[in-house]
Each structure stands twice: as C-alpha cells, then as structure tokens.
Amino acid sequence: MNESNYFAVTLPESSKVVTIVARKNTDSIEILHHAVSRTEHFMGGKIENALPDAVQAIRHTLPPCDSNLVVEATYLGISGALSVQVNAENTITIPPHREITQKDKDLIDESAVPALNNQLPIGYQLLDYVPLHYYVGPEEKLNPLGHRGDSLTVSAVGVAGHSRGINALVDCLSRASLETAETIPTATAAVHSTVAGRDEKHQAVALIDIGHSVTTVAVCVNGKIISSRSFQSGGANVTQDIREILQAKDPESVKIKYGSCVPS
C-alpha cells in the first residue's frame, strides 16, 4: 500500500469526536479505519479549558500504532455553533453591447470572496462559498455567458467558521500528531456527497443532520448550496422531551419500541 494516499477526516461534535481514515483510489475512496470517542470536551467553550482531554479523545480515534496506517493529511470538519452562513452581492461593469465572456464570469466569481469577507461577523473566517445567481443588468440569468448588458452581478452564499474555535481544534490535531490540510463545513460537504451523480441534483434537496445537541439543515438547489443553518437543539432534547412528556424512565426503550424509519 502507498502510505502517501492515506488521509483522515476528523469531526469534533458536541458529544463525540469521529475520525475516518481512508485512501483515495482512481475512481473511489476506500474506508480503512473508523472510530468514535465519546466526550463532551468539544462543546462550545470547553475545549480551551480541557485541551489535554480533547487531544486524548482524538488519539483514541486514531489507528493503532501497529496498523501501518500513516496519516499524511487531516481534514477538519466543523458544524454547529462553530459555523455561520453569510450572503453577499457584487457587481462589475461591462462595456455596452459586448457579450459576457468566461473571463468576466471568472472575475465576478472571484470578487464574491472579498464581498463575503466584508459580511463576516467579527472573529469568523470564510471556509467555503458558492456563486448562486447572476444578473446581467437587471435580468437574472442561470448562466450569464453569451448575454449582453452593461453590468454583471453575482449573488453568493458562504459558510464561515469561528476562528478561535477552529484554531483550538487545529491545535488539538497537531498535539495528536495530525497535520490539518483543510477545514471544511460538514453541512456543505454532506450535501455535495449526497446529491452528486443523482437525479436530485437538479431539484431542491434538504439534508438534515440531527446531532446530540445541534441540528444542521442544508438546502441545495440545482447542485448548489443556497442555505445552511444550525440550531441548538438535537437528539438530547428529543430524549429529554420523551422523558418529561411521556414520563418515561427509559427514553431509549421508547425510541426502539415506537420509533421507525420508513423510506418513501
């Protein structure tokens, strides 16, 4: 095996940390290792006060030393309270009566980044963005190429991450001997992987990720992320509601007895 192909995805969540080690083949990704470590040290504000424990939780998810799996790069997935959505528009002037070219489109796509950066809350950094809609003059165009107008506008959506929280997580990975290659929003990554190559990519798709204490909803239309929101409510709240409203001493048994997942 070529060790240089090994990479890891680490997902710190409010109640656990998950690490997946994989190898990229020619046309597929092979999962080689998957582990979960239960911990609450990754909840907002706790990690900086319990750094050694957080590092140890990450180490528990790594392959054993004798497994010959040497991780070369790690991708840090963030969600929940560490991420926020921003929206922005930017416009460039086009000489009259000239068709919009690929160079114009590339220029307006690139200009979306500083426009989104101007909308970021203090202490956040832009992680991912998608140009959503284009306007040639006042008219909206799905693809602006070939149309004529005196201006080209892009409307873009971005996902930003809390810089201090991300830096603390990167520090944890470093202390666990993992080098962070990139920080990625898990909501947008999940949508891309879910709709890729499927008929739904031409429709409106909502992906709902219910975690322990945070629920994330990402909406994708025509293969593009148009909205990503996180709510401070998750599986723990559902369990507590079952316990209080149904007066159930064992909420998990109620879930098993009455819960269902029916595809339709």
Side-chain angles (χ1 to χ4, degrees):
M1 290 185 179
N2 186 355
E3 294 178 352
S4 64
N5 289 330
Y6 297 162
F7 67 93
V9 178
T10 298
L11 309 170
E13 300 180 8
S14 55
S15 63
K16 62 183 178 295
V17 57
V18 180
T19 297
I20 301 169
V21 180
R23 180 178 58 185
K24 190 177 187 319
N25 299 320
T26 304
D27 56 356
S28 64
I29 293 178
E30 179 185 3
I31 304 298
L32 304 171
H33 172 81
H34 171 271
V36 178
S37 180
R38 300 287 175 180
T39 176
E40 293 188 352
H41 295 301
F42 293 99
M43 294 181 69
K46 287 189 176 183
I47 183 173
E48 296 177 11
N49 300 324
L51 207 57
D53 294 319
V55 173
Q56 193 63 26
I58 292 176
R59 286 177 176 157
H60 284 323
T61 66
L62 300 181
C65 295
D66 58 354
S67 68
N68 295 322
L69 295 179
V70 180
V71 177
E72 185 177 75
T74 303
Y75 294 85
L76 172 62
I78 67 159
S79 62
L82 287 178
S83 62
V84 66
Q85 178 180 307
V86 291
N87 297 80
E89 286 190 356
N90 200 45
T91 302
I92 60 173
T93 301
I94 303 296
H97 309 299
R98 179 171 69 74
E99 289 187 352
I100 305 296
T101 66
Q102 184 64 48
K103 184 177 181 180
D104 296 324
K105 184 176 180 298
D106 292 342
L107 178 61
I108 195 68
D109 286 350
E110 292 173 3
S111 73
V113 175
L116 289 167
N117 280 327
N118 289 334
Q119 302 300 319
L120 294 181
I122 296 176
Y124 281 77
Q125 63 190 69
L126 189 65
L127 299 177
D128 189 19
Y129 82 99
V130 178
L132 289 181
H133 306 290
Y134 298 94
Y135 297 87
V136 180
E139 297 183 3
E140 182 177 348
K141 303 292 182 182
L142 184 62
N143 188 341
L145 298 180
H147 294 282
R148 298 178 185 273
D150 57 3
S151 65
L152 177 61
T153 301
V154 64
S155 176
V157 60
V159 179
H162 190 269
S163 299
R164 186 174 174 180
I166 291 174
N167 290 338
L169 292 172
V170 170
D171 186 24
C172 281
L173 291 175
S174 177
R175 296 188 185 201
S177 301
L178 295 175
E179 181 181 352
T180 303
E182 186 178 354
T183 300
I184 55 177
T186 56
T188 55
V191 170
H192 285 310
S193 63
T194 301
V195 304
R198 301 180 59 177
D199 293 339
E200 289 92 337
K201 68 181 179 180
H202 299 299
Q203 303 172 4
V205 178
L207 185 68
I208 303 174
D209 180 10
I210 303 176
H212 178 74
S213 58
V214 176
T215 296
T216 300
V217 180
V219 179
C220 179
V221 176
N222 294 325
K224 294 180 178 180
I225 307 295
I226 66 168
S227 179
S228 177
R229 291 284 189 273
S230 295
F231 308 92
Q232 297 298 316
S233 178
N237 303 90
V238 175
T239 301
Q240 186 63 24
D241 288 344
I242 293 174
R243 179 182 289 110
E244 294 179 357
I245 297 174
L246 300 181
Q247 297 182 349
K249 294 182 179 180
D250 186 6
E252 295 301 325
S253 64
V254 175
K255 294 179 188 178
I256 295 172
K257 185 175 181 179
Y258 297 105
S260 64
C261 180
V262 182
S264 61

